[in-house]
Amino acid sequence: MLDLQRLRALHAVSVHGTVGRAAAALGYTPSAVSQQIAKLERETRTVLLEREGRGVRLTAEARQLVVTAQQLMAIVERAETDLERRRGLPSGRLTLAAFPSAARGLLPGVLAELARRHPALDARLTEVDPHLSVDLVAKGAVDLAVAHDWDIAPLPAPAGVEQAVIGDDLCDLLVPAGHPFAGRAAVRREELGGERWVCQPPGRVCHDWLVRTLRAAGHEPDLVHTAEENPTLVALVAAGLGIALIPRLGRGPLPEGVVEVRLDPLPVRRLYALWREGAARRPAIAETVRALQAHWGERADTVRREPEHADTGPEVEPEPISTGPT
């Protein structure tokens, strides 16, 4: 008889691409995942993983077994949901995925509240790139994801995945204190030509949004420095090495020497909670979505505050008509 935990391990390798990332998602060591798959190979008398460079690839037999594993996991999920509904209280393990600034700026308070109010619920968070989270939910690798969309690439909603709006996150232009924009009430996108930018690397949402937005305004962006993390970008701005466009969620207090200025139109990104169809019947999903929306509402004063600046220019009313970077 096939062991469900071993099938979960194989499924995780299929979803995450490597044994190491699968182990991190499952909360195991890479050695434990390798052992589970080795046992599954002995039980099925089938080679499931083959070495490919420094990684592994699934054999054709393994890919077929993954389809079966996903079907079995869906059956188990329905059974667990029904039991949890009968108890009427959030319980069991709940796996969540969130993009970095949400994992830093929103999820800690949500997870702390869930732990305090529902001790029988074991909620576990994994930080992932935003473009991966929807697929992780669809494939059953996580129970719930926090993701966002923007104008250049609306959030995909594949069949079998449901979503609810959490709220809108605003983005500001960050400039060095001595920059000509530092004393302005607002700056229009048409004025951004000739600036030196710091941003995330190519392929990341922030990078792609910035390039397309500047080109749409008639400017070819001069990207002088790239970094993965927003705190690094803020430090580069503080050193006077360029300007940046960074969301408020998870950004933290700005260091001395950095000024935030409103960009007109005001960039906005919308946050969503996503889960598999029918899972909202599970009290743990419903309660987590409620907590996400409630915590967003409580911190709305911070997220939606107006930038502090020397108001020496004409007041420009914000117009949140576009969405922005990660």
Side-chain angles (χ1 to χ4, degrees):
M1 182 176 293
L2 296 175
D3 182 275
L4 183 59
Q5 289 302 107
R6 292 165 194 164
L7 290 173
R8 285 186 188 274
L10 181 63
H11 177 263
V13 173
S14 172
V15 170
H16 296 282
T18 70
V19 171
R21 287 198 291 266
L26 293 172
Y28 301 151
T29 65
S31 176
V33 171
S34 296
Q35 290 175 15
Q36 290 288 327
I37 293 176
K39 291 178 180 178
L40 187 58
E41 287 182 323
R42 290 196 295 270
E43 290 173 350
T44 59
R45 300 182 181 86
T46 305
V47 175
L48 301 175
L49 297 182
E50 294 179 340
R51 290 197 174 276
E52 187 173 62
R54 295 186 177 182
V56 295
R57 68 175 183 87
L58 274 67
T59 64
E61 292 79 7
R63 290 194 295 271
Q64 181 59 46
L65 198 55
V66 164
V67 174
T68 302
Q70 194 161 348
Q71 294 168 344
L72 291 174
M73 290 164 59
I75 293 172
V76 172
E77 181 180 50
R78 288 197 296 271
E80 292 173 341
T81 296
D82 289 341
L83 287 173
E84 190 176 325
R85 286 183 64 207
R86 290 179 66 86
R87 288 191 292 265
L89 295 172
S91 60
R93 179 173 292 190
L94 181 75
T95 54
L96 300 97
F99 58 94
S101 54
R104 180 171 60 251
L106 180 61
L107 268 298
V110 171
L111 294 172
E113 179 190 339
L114 292 175
R116 183 176 64 255
R117 295 182 54 163
H118 306 290
L121 178 63
D122 180 15
R124 303 191 176 198
L125 172 66
T126 299
E127 182 181 295
V128 300
D129 289 340
H131 66 279
L132 298 176
S133 56
V134 178
D135 193 45
L136 293 178
V137 172
K139 291 181 177 179
V142 298
D143 298 313
L144 185 145
V146 177
H148 64 81
D149 70 1
W150 57 98
D151 54 351
I152 62 172
L155 184 70
V161 174
E162 300 176 352
Q163 64 185 36
V165 174
I166 297 173
D168 292 338
D169 186 22
L170 310 184
C171 306
D172 295 306
L173 186 67
L174 302 187
V175 303
H179 193 281
F181 291 157
R184 297 275 299 275
V187 174
R188 290 192 171 274
R189 297 178 187 183
E190 292 78 10
E191 302 177 74
L192 298 176
E195 295 296 331
R196 292 165 63 86
W197 290 87
V198 298
C199 71
Q200 293 180 334
R204 299 295 298 273
V205 175
C206 179
H207 179 282
D208 296 344
W209 185 89
L210 180 63
V211 169
R212 296 190 189 189
T213 299
L214 292 179
R215 286 176 177 168
H219 310 304
E220 185 61 30
D222 184 10
L223 309 179
V224 294
H225 301 292
T226 62
E228 290 282 353
E229 298 184 347
N230 284 341
T232 305
L233 299 178
V234 173
L236 291 168
V237 174
L241 299 173
I243 66 175
L245 188 66
I246 299 180
R248 296 178 184 177
L249 175 62
R251 191 178 70 196
L254 295 177
E256 185 175 352
V258 177
V259 177
E260 60 181 64
V261 182
R262 189 172 65 241
L263 188 62
D264 181 39
L266 186 63
V268 180
R269 61 178 181 178
R270 174 157 290 182
L271 275 64
Y272 297 88
L274 301 104
W275 60 90
R276 284 180 296 285
E277 185 176 330
R281 299 182 302 118
R282 183 182 175 190
I285 294 287
E287 176 65 4
T288 301
V289 173
R290 181 209 62 78
L292 285 164
Q293 294 171 330
H295 276 256
W296 187 268
E298 291 171 1
R299 68 182 303 281
D301 290 342
T302 299
V303 174
R304 288 190 171 277
R305 73 188 187 284
E306 288 301 312
E308 296 178 3
H309 51 73
D311 192 1
T312 59
E315 182 66 24
V316 179
E317 193 67 24
E319 183 185 356
I321 61 171
S322 64
T323 51
T326 183

